[in-house]
Amino acid sequence: MRRKIVAGNWKMNTTVAEGVALAKELVAAMSQVPSDVNLVVAPPFVHLTSVGEAIKGSKIALSAQNCADQPKGAFTGEVAANMLAGIGCQYVILGHSERRQYYGETSATLVAKMALALENGLQPIYCVGEMKDERLDNKHFDVVKAQIEEVLFGLTPEQMGHVVIAYEPVWAIGTGLTATSEQAEEIHAFIRKLIADKFGKQIAEDCTILYGGSCKPSNAKELFACPDIDGGLIGGASLKAADFIAIAQSYTISDDALDGVSGGSKIIMPARD
Ligand code: 13P
């Protein structure tokens, strides 16, 4: 089933104490979140156990931000998928552009991570998205197609049924620039068609595809109203409980209810440096 998911990628932010406090604020606000909206939080590794405790019994799910490409052994500093599953993670973010850009993650690495995540019952939130120059050169469809084909097309249809996809244009991440709902919907529909052509119409229809990149209370409503945008992967705005909850309410609430929550600039295309 396609789901409405609003996931918070905390990246390398908050101490454990701050993360637990944020998680508790979210739990306390859950009655304001529509029952069909699934909240997910992805704190840093060292927070997972404590944040997992704080959200226990609530409808908030726990995600890691990454996992190792090896099952176990002498890989100093890495965290294996089965360790994450063992402490109650339900999701793991894979292929985030920051991992690709700063830590050299390739499709080959991601194929290995994807297999281990799925083997251990984790639902991967697989991130794709083009860089600014690729968008300006009109290569965004090719880039996203390659990222989907290289990492997802080796999966079985059953495995694909457990994967959530997040389209995050790199030029929109943390920049205040957001893809217009038309730009985002166009790529989301394109991704769904790629999945349909490979895995069949039903799996594509059921696939949850999130938008990420400066998504915030002021633009979430317009983005989430698009037929192929099922929710968001939220960075900065997930660190403020009120903003994260307001985003989760964006499937249903009126513009008036958004008054008072922090907003941001609207779109537009990046310019060349
Ligand atoms: P921002 O919402 O801060 O732009 O980050 C998006 C993101 O990278 C989520 O994974």
Side-chain angles (χ1 to χ4, degrees):
M1 260 302 273
R2 206 194 293 192
R3 286 164 299 154
K4 294 176 178 168
I5 296 179
V6 174
N9 176 6
W10 295 2
K11 307 192 180 182
M12 197 172 72
N13 292 297
T14 73
T15 61
V16 173
E18 288 164 350
V20 167
L22 174 56
K24 285 184 176 163
E25 269 192 85
L26 295 176
V27 170
M30 277 308 281
S31 59
Q32 299 164 38
V33 175
S35 59
D36 61 342
V37 177
N38 299 281
L39 282 200
V40 178
V41 290
F45 284 132
V46 294
H47 300 38
L48 286 169
T49 306
S50 320
V51 168
E53 275 299 313
I55 61 175
K56 210 178 199 158
S58 79
K59 266 190 51 202
I60 304 172
L62 192 63
S63 175
Q65 298 176 16
N66 183 27
C67 72
D69 61 349
Q70 302 289 335
K72 66 175 197 173
F75 301 99
T76 302
E78 291 295 303
V79 179
N82 74 332
M83 299 174 187
L84 299 171
I87 55 162
C89 286
Q90 290 163 259
Y91 294 86
V92 59
I93 297 172
L94 292 180
H96 193 280
S97 62
E98 287 148 18
R99 302 286 326 161
R100 294 181 193 258
Q101 261 185 291
Y102 308 142
Y103 301 97
E105 283 197 1
T106 62
S107 290
T109 325
L110 289 166
V111 165
K113 292 186 179 198
M114 187 67 65
L116 286 162
L118 288 164
E119 240 170 66
N120 286 285
L122 297 170
Q123 297 174 68
I125 300 176
Y126 177 57
C127 302
V128 297
E130 79 283 359
M131 311 276 284
K132 184 168 93 172
D133 284 346
E134 293 165 339
R135 165 69 66 163
L136 292 168
D137 292 339
N138 222 21
K139 293 197 178 120
H140 43 295
F141 290 109
D142 293 342
V143 169
V144 168
K145 183 167 185 253
Q147 291 169 334
I148 295 275
E149 282 180 355
E150 288 167 14
V151 177
L152 299 183
F153 275 21
L155 299 179
T156 63
E158 202 277 332
Q159 286 176 316
M160 186 58 219
H162 297 288
V163 177
V164 172
I165 297 174
Y167 169 61
E168 299 203 307
V170 180
W171 49 270
I173 295 177
T175 58
L177 295 169
T178 313
T180 61
S181 49
E182 290 78 19
Q183 286 171 328
E185 169 59 22
E186 187 184 31
I187 289 265
H188 280 234
F190 173 74
I191 292 171
R192 204 177 297 285
K193 169 105 176 32
L194 289 174
I195 301 298
D197 290 347
K198 174 70 185 170
F199 294 99
K201 203 162 182 286
Q202 194 56 52
I203 287 184
E205 271 308 304
D206 287 347
C207 184
T208 302
I209 309 179
L210 310 179
Y211 169 80
S214 299
C215 184
K216 50 202 151 215
S218 59
N219 58 24
K221 193 176 177 199
E222 195 183 325
L223 288 160
F224 295 0
C226 297
D228 289 295
I229 301 180
D230 305 312
L233 180 55
I234 320 298
S238 71
L239 296 171
K240 259 181 83 180
D243 283 359
F244 192 56
I245 295 293
I247 292 172
Q249 294 171 324
S250 297
Y251 294 97
T252 48
I253 56 169
S254 67
D255 289 334
D256 293 347
L258 287 173
D259 284 352
V261 292
S262 60
S265 59
K266 214 147 145 82
I267 314 246
I268 318 316
M269 279 292 296
R272 272 191 208 282
D273 295 324

